[in-house]
Amino acid sequence: MPRETFMKSTKLYNHDALLRALDRYQLDALIAISPKNVFYYSGSPIAHKELLIGYWPADVGSAELASVIVMRDGNHILVCPTLDADVNREGAWIEHVRSFDPYRQSPMQAVATAIQD
């Protein structure tokens, strides 16, 4: 069976406006967790699909929750469940994709680990 391929998305966000906002509020980074913002800051095809179907978990600690750590230097990190990692690596424009096992770690623990690293 042929493997489905995804076209890499392009950056959607306004980098200059983001830097101005981070400077204004003296932030090193921000964390985006809604599917809309995860897609906006990473181009994740998984977040795009969730956005199209109106997905939003009732529990923000949900095992399927992906997030993006939006860094001031532009080296964003997409943190997603292991099951979604390959699709995100292939389809998102973001270079740094970290995955976590949703049965062993919460999404926010995975974000905390990515920030510490």
Side-chain angles (χ1 to χ4, degrees), residues 60-67 78-85 89 97-111 113:
V60 247
S62 169
E64 287 93 35
L65 189 67
S67 58
L78 174 60
V79 180
C80 64
T82 305
L83 186 62
D84 299 339
R89 282 188 184 99
V97 177
R98 304 259 320 236
S99 62
F100 64 95
D101 181 348
Y103 300 104
R104 296 177 185 256
Q105 188 178 29
S106 80
M108 293 302 107
Q109 288 172 325
V111 167
T113 300

